[in-house]
């Protein structure tokens, strides 16, 4: 395996802790910017837009998969982990992207999809050829039960059994997602070694870190025990939509296995060979999400940070939920670290999920974004979130996502949050492409384009820029401790403390004015620069609807 060699200069003294409290901007490359007129975004398009991202004030970018793939799951089904799919460009384009991002002060994180491959990956082609070949045990194979049915009751997130019959080996193979996405067998050390080689390949090309897709799905129980049923009152739709029977099981045996900790320690040891590489893992576990995050990020030998689906679920954010989630994480995680997000490429955009019924949608989105960027932990912002883009309502004939096609119309899939970025409201296709885009640009998005918001101090885009600058000016937001203050109703308040700096933060998630008492009557001094409304007197903070206040004890 050949990789570009990059010298690591210790004289530069990189900040190995840069990830702690970082704000990471997620790019879905198919939908960000098309540079060659084929209707699909690409790496050169991302390079073109890097100055925009840098001007936002974020610390890093996370690029969703761009590897060679049949695109049945749009890059999350990989056939070559060490090359770029031609629709996105070349390895030279990727190297140019890394160089330009670094020139602009941005770290580069890429998606590693290593729990499974595409079924036409060379590894799987060899594995399925016989039961005795060199890679026969690289995937999860099992015999049928005596009646010919699958080995157990495990379910796929994309619907139906997690087992697919293969006529060549006359065995079932495991697929937690599409049948065309067979799961790798992490119990095989050769598989682990191969995936660590892939990781080193990209580290040598200069990447600063990884987002680890479905990190808790790497290992399964070798006993293949049936998952127990979950009582109806304990089912939720954090990991899968409510129409999916996946939620009917307590997933004790098909994921989140203890053996994963050993692999994560091997993975971290590799990253630690490099000056400042970091990783964030995606934890999909509705029953034990925060506990898994805590285990995977404990100490300094596993992954740096993880995120669960607590704020990505359909349930609307509330003051009580924010406090419960953060305090629960603080109790179970100890020295662990989380990465919070409100939207990404897999869930309905929170501008629709939460803000649709609010009296002032833009004001609401401003205050919840300020809350997100004030929490203890790192932050992921999904492309278009800073514009307030809503979930697109697509016609069935426009759908590309196999998940939505399978469960239509009760669940419309993930295409609604993946429509193209809108750059210029007066240009064809919002400035995304000169050709017909792979997904349509919703007409209602054009009024929210970058061109319409840039320079307008009242816009959501300028709010994100302003608040990120405010956040960057106060180190307590990135790495400080958090302590919640008494609050009720729609108000959530806490302090962030780092060294001698202590910041009081208060947010009103409702449309009506509210008041909160803080500090036992002590005088409060406001911190300027964030642009949100609120006033403070001795020991009391008054907030307008969707208001927020930041300050110090005088």
């Amino acid at each position: 395996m050949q990789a570009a060699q990059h010298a690591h200069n210790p004289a530069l003294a990189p900040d190995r802790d840069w990830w702690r409290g970082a704000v990471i901007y997620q790019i879905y490359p198919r939908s960000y910017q098309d540079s060659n007129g084929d209707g699909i975004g690409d790496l050169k398009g991302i390079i073109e837009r890097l100055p925009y991202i840098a001007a936002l004030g974020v610390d890093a970018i996370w690029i969703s998969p761009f590897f060679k793939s049949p695109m049945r799951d749009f890059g999350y089904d990989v056939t070559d982990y060490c090359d770029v799919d031609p629709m996105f460009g070349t390895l030279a384009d990727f190297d140019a992207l890394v160089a330009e991002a670094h020139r602009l002060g941005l770290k580069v994180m890429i998606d590693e999809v290593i729990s499974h491959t595409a079924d036409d990956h060379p590894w799987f082609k060899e594995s399925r050829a016989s039961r005795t070949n060199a890679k026969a045990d690289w995937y999860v194979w099992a015999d049928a039960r005596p009646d010919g049915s699958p080995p157990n009751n495990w379910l796929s997130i994309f619907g139906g059994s997690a087992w697919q019959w293969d006529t060549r080996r006359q065995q079932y193979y495991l697929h937690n997602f599409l049948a065309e996405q067979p799961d790798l067998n992490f119990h095989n050390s050769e598989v682990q070694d191969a995936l660590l080689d892939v990781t080193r390949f990209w580290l040598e090309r200069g990447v600063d870190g990884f987002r680890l897709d479905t990190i808790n799905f790497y290992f399964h129980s070798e006993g293949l025990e049936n998952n127990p049923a979950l009582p109806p009152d304990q089912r939720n739709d954090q990991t899968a939509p409510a129409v999916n029977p996946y939620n009917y099981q307590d997933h004790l045996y098909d994921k989140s296995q203890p053996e994963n900790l050993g692999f994560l320690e091997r993975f971290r040891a590799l990253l630690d060979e490099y000056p400042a590489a970091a990783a964030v893992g995606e934890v999909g576990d509705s029953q034990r999400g925060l506990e898994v995050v805590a285990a995977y990020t404990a100490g300094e030998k596993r992954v740096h940070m993880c995120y669960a689906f607590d704020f990505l679920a359909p349930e609307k954010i509330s003051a009580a939920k924010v406090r419960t989630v953060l305090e629960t994480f603080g109790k179970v995680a100890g020295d662990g670290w989380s990465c919070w997000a409100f939207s990404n490429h897999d869930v309905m955009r929170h501008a629709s999920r939460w803000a649709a019924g609010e009296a002032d949608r833009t004001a609401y989105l401003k205050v919840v974004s300020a809350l997100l960027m004030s929490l203890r932990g790192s932050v992921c912002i999904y492309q278009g979130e800073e514009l307030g883009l809503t979930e697109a309502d697509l016609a069935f004939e426009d759908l590309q996502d196999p998940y939505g096609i399978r469960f239509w119309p009760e669940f419309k899939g993930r295409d609604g949050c993946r429509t193209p970025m809108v750059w210029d409201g007066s240009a064809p296709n919002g400035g995304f492409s000169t050709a017909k885009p792979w997904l349509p640009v919703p007409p209602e998005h054009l009024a929210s384009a970058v061109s319409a918001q840039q320079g307008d101090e009242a816009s959501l885009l300028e709010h994100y820029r302003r608040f990120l600058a405010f956040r960057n000016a106060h180190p307590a937001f990135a790495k400080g401790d958090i302590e919640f203050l008494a609050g009720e109703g729609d108000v959530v308040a806490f302090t962030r403390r780092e060294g001698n700096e202590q910041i009081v933060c208060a947010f009103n998630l409702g449309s009506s004015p509210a008041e909160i008492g803080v500090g036992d009557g002590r005088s409060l001094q406001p911190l300027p620069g964030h642009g949100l409304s609120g006033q403070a007197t001795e020991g009391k903070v008054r907030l307008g609807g969707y208001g927020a206040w930041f300050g110090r004890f005088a």
Side-chain angles (χ1 to χ4, degrees), residues 362-398:
T362 299
Y364 175 80
L365 292 175
K366 286 181 180 180
V367 74
V368 295
S369 68
L371 172 60
L372 170 66
M373 291 184 275
S374 300
L375 297 175
R376 184 177 189 269
S378 301
V379 176
C380 279
I381 294 172
Y382 179 49
Q383 65 180 54
E385 174 182 331
E386 74 278 15
L387 304 178
L389 297 188
T390 53
E391 186 82 355
D393 188 13
L394 302 178
F396 180 78
E397 55 267 25
D398 290 325

Side-chain angles (χ1 to χ4, degrees), residues 355 406 508 547:
R406 173 100 189 238
N508 181 8

Side-chain angles (χ1 to χ4, degrees), residues 29-69:
R30 294 180 70 91
S31 298
Y32 205 61
Q33 178 66 65
D34 173 20
S35 71
N36 61 2
D38 65 356
I40 298 172
D42 45 51
L43 297 181
K44 286 184 176 179
I46 295 173
I47 295 172
E48 179 185 338
R49 298 299 184 180
L50 284 175
Y52 165 84
I53 299 169
L56 272 178
V58 301
D59 302 291
I61 57 173
W62 146 30
I63 309 174
S64 290
F66 50 82
F67 316 109
K68 282 189 173 178
S69 167

Side-chain angles (χ1 to χ4, degrees), residues 244-308:
N244 190 341
Y246 186 86
N247 301 315
Y248 287 37
Q249 290 185 358
D250 188 1
H251 293 271
L252 289 178
Y253 300 111
D254 52 350
K255 60 184 178 182
S256 304
Q257 298 302 295
E259 295 94 331
N260 205 14
L261 298 178
F263 172 74
L264 296 181
E265 290 178 1
R266 292 191 69 194
F267 183 88
R268 175 65 177 266
L270 171 58
L271 265 60
D272 285 348
E273 295 179 24
Y274 292 78
V280 54
E282 175 199 29
V283 172
D285 193 316
S286 297
Q287 280 72 55
R288 289 164 289 276
L290 291 180
E291 289 82 357
V292 174
V293 171
Y296 287 9
T297 63
E300 297 189 0
K301 293 186 177 181
R302 298 168 188 171
V303 290
H304 302 74
M305 51 187 169
C306 287
Y307 70 87

